[in-house]
Amino acid sequence: MTLRQPEPYGRPDKRRAITQAARRVFGRDGYTRASMDAISAEAGVSKRTVYNHFTDKEQLFLTVALEGAEEVTAAIAQIMDRHLHKIVDLEQDLIDFSLDRVAAVTSFPDHFALVRAIEAEAAHIPPPILKAWIAAGPQTGHLRLAPYLRRIADRGLLEIDDADSAAAHLTLLTITDVNQQTFYGAVPLPQEEIARLVTRGVRAFLRSYAPTTP
Amino acid sequence: MTLRQPEPYGRPDKRRAITQAARRVFGRDGYTRASMDAISAEAGVSKRTVYNHFTDKEQLFLTVALEGAEEVTAAIAQIMDRHLHKIVDLEQDLIDFSLDRVAAVTSFPDHFALVRAIEAEAAHIPPPILKAWIAAGPQTGHLRLAPYLRRIADRGLLEIDDADSAAAHLTLLTITDVNQQTFYGAVPLPQEEIARLVTRGVRAFLRSYAPTTP
DNA sequence: TAAGTACTACACTGATTAGTGTACCTTGAA
DNA sequence: TTCAAGGTACACTAATCAGTGTAGTACTTA
């Protein structure tokens, strides 16, 4: 099994229609429940065309997962830049950043439904593929956040020993908390409750990483 | 669909064999992949007997999930009592507590594999049932931890405003961090790495909730 | 016009699976 | 001994689904 179909094949619009549909259906139904018939129907494409573009159900799933991860990573990178480039009020900026980051989950519902599916399938996914997925998605999140925190710390607004840990902790205290409670958006949570969780998470983070002003 | 089979039916040893086997098979294969034939075979029981005890695949799954959650909750309660009743060295005690709590995940591999399955199915599980699951499992974890932290704070070893938040944060910074990286134990992580994650999580928690000693 | 590429419609295979029906066996209590 | 509850073995239905094969169509390029 290869990670990606290397040579381009077929009409790009068809390929796109297939991956879009696959994302929706995989997300809605999960890997096993999702049927190739449903995907081809949703894509408005013959089932044969699906199999001409992708050798396998498995390969289609992984392609969609990795491409989606890249899209989301790009979106999150933008959010980081928007909120963490110029810091005005650190607490408020971190809260706004985290709220936007949480909102990204709901604005890519298909992808994050798919993330749930991957986590469920973790034990059935070959380790190298799983590694590729982690590298493309979750990990890059931390890796990109860390330098921002480092820079903020260099300006004396935070006291950070290990920027990677700090990035992980900020993520855990905000996004992960919300994601756990909403099952990645599957269970709705009122916006004010989300804001409450994020705010208390950011405050805890700041208490932990604020510079000791003597 | 009812939450539990109310009236007892059949020989308890058979019922037990079925739920044990179901836990293993659901955990190993996930809900959809797991077949009732496989479960009955694993239980050493006729398939008909399975259907005499449980009306449905779905009902069997939910029964197993809820019963497992209760077992794990009981085990975690013991761990809390062991480590958080008498505090000697707060940091060390919290680290030991968290490591034991992480170890509980690996010592109930079938159940936590099943937890992954539930999280994947979250969108397909009727909300009241999902609520029952959350109440039986994850939530009780926080609810039970909070009073311990409250008591420690009352002794002046922590400065806690909202004990529930503090419990959530401690959990996030330790167990959740490890669980995310290991996919609930599906991907192995060396013990020393686990210890590193937990230690840095506890330290961050303490920096955040340590009393300000003027 | 000829050839090649991509897509479609559709039938089909082979395998798996949830759930049922039934006839028969085992065991313990009355 | 009799009876009834619970278990077993096994055959069976109806449905679903991954993946293939094929004959034909549309569009592009030489």
Side-chain angles (χ1 to χ4, degrees):
Chain A
M1 180 195 345
T2 49
L3 282 181
R4 291 287 191 86
Q5 199 102 311
E7 346 78 52
Y9 165 92
R11 288 161 47 181
D13 58 327
K14 296 290 176 179
R15 194 197 133 99
R16 180 98 184 126
I18 294 168
T19 52
Q20 294 276 355
R23 193 178 309 187
R24 270 196 299 278
V25 177
F26 279 133
R28 192 208 312 135
D29 299 340
Y31 179 79
T32 323
R33 261 194 257 265
S35 83
M36 295 298 266
D37 286 280
I39 291 171
S40 57
E42 177 99 8
V45 142
S46 152
K47 181 159 80 153
R48 207 62 182 81
T49 300
V50 174
Y51 277 101
N52 286 340
H53 280 265
F54 302 92
T55 68
D56 238 13
K57 187 183 184 182
E58 200 180 7
Q59 199 224 335
L60 174 58
F61 180 78
L62 294 169
T63 303
V64 165
L66 292 180
E67 289 186 2
E70 282 165 22
E71 276 180 42
V72 171
T73 300
I76 299 226
Q78 277 204 345
I79 295 175
M80 285 185 193
D81 198 64
R82 179 154 68 246
H83 291 291
L84 302 182
H85 191 65
K86 286 264 170 234
I87 296 298
V88 184
D89 173 349
L90 183 56
E91 178 175 309
Q92 196 56 50
D93 288 339
L94 285 179
I95 289 174
D96 291 343
F97 162 63
S98 300
L99 284 175
D100 264 19
R101 208 166 155 211
V102 168
V105 172
T106 26
S107 68
F108 291 93
D110 301 326
H111 176 70
F112 282 95
L114 204 128
V115 169
R116 278 213 317 280
I118 289 180
E119 299 196 340
E121 296 288 329
H124 307 295
I125 298 175
I129 308 264
L130 194 60
K131 289 231 172 75
W133 148 254
I134 294 174
Q139 205 171 61
T140 10
H142 285 181
L143 290 182
R144 297 215 177 169
L145 178 53
Y148 282 99
L149 296 181
R150 176 81 275 152
R151 231 165 295 144
I152 294 171
D154 289 345
R155 261 178 265 165
L157 295 171
L158 288 173
E159 188 169 275
I160 289 177
D161 180 31
D162 175 1
D164 288 328
S165 287
H169 286 164
L170 177 58
T171 303
L172 285 164
L173 289 170
T174 57
I175 285 78
T176 307
D177 194 4
V178 174
N179 282 348
Q180 279 225 324
Q181 299 212 27
T182 63
F183 290 85
Y184 285 100
V187 176
L189 201 65
Q191 182 59 34
E192 55 197 7
E193 179 64 15
I194 291 177
R196 209 180 62 80
L197 291 177
V198 164
T199 302
R200 80 178 195 189
V202 167
R203 295 223 171 106
F205 175 80
L206 286 178
R207 285 199 304 276
S208 193
Y209 288 97
T212 48
T213 42
Chain B
M1 182 196 340
T2 50
L3 282 181
R4 291 287 191 86
Q5 198 102 313
E7 346 79 49
Y9 165 91
R11 288 161 47 180
D13 57 327
K14 297 288 175 181
R15 194 196 134 98
R16 180 98 184 127
I18 294 168
T19 52
Q20 295 276 355
R23 192 177 311 184
R24 270 195 299 278
V25 177
F26 278 133
R28 190 211 311 136
D29 299 340
Y31 179 80
T32 322
R33 262 194 256 266
S35 83
M36 295 297 266
D37 286 280
I39 291 171
S40 58
E42 177 99 7
V45 142
S46 152
K47 181 159 80 155
R48 206 65 182 79
T49 301
V50 174
Y51 278 100
N52 286 340
H53 280 264
F54 302 92
T55 68
D56 238 14
K57 187 183 184 182
E58 200 179 8
Q59 198 223 336
L60 174 57
F61 180 77
L62 294 168
T63 303
V64 165
L66 291 180
E67 289 186 3
E70 283 166 19
E71 277 181 41
V72 171
T73 300
I76 300 228
Q78 276 204 345
I79 294 175
M80 286 185 193
D81 198 65
R82 179 156 66 247
H83 290 290
L84 302 181
H85 191 64
K86 284 266 171 232
I87 297 297
V88 183
D89 172 350
L90 183 55
E91 178 175 308
Q92 195 56 51
D93 287 339
L94 285 179
I95 289 173
D96 291 343
F97 161 64
S98 301
L99 285 175
D100 264 19
R101 208 166 154 212
V102 168
V105 172
T106 26
S107 69
F108 291 92
D110 301 326
H111 176 71
F112 282 96
L114 204 128
V115 168
R116 277 212 319 278
I118 289 180
E119 299 195 341
E121 297 289 326
H124 308 293
I125 298 176
I129 308 262
L130 194 59
K131 288 231 173 73
W133 148 254
I134 294 173
Q139 203 170 64
T140 9
H142 285 180
L143 290 182
R144 297 216 177 170
L145 177 54
Y148 282 99
L149 296 181
R150 178 81 274 152
R151 232 165 295 143
I152 294 171
D154 290 344
R155 261 179 264 164
L157 296 171
L158 288 173
E159 188 168 275
I160 290 177
D161 180 32
D162 176 359
D164 287 328
S165 287
H169 286 165
L170 178 57
T171 303
L172 285 164
L173 290 169
T174 56
I175 286 76
T176 307
D177 194 5
V178 174
N179 282 347
Q180 278 223 326
Q181 300 213 23
T182 63
F183 291 85
Y184 284 102
V187 176
L189 201 66
Q191 182 59 35
E192 55 197 7
E193 180 63 15
I194 293 177
R196 208 180 64 78
L197 291 177
V198 164
T199 301
R200 79 180 195 188
V202 166
R203 295 223 171 106
F205 174 80
L206 286 178
R207 283 199 305 275
S208 192
Y209 289 98
T212 49
T213 43

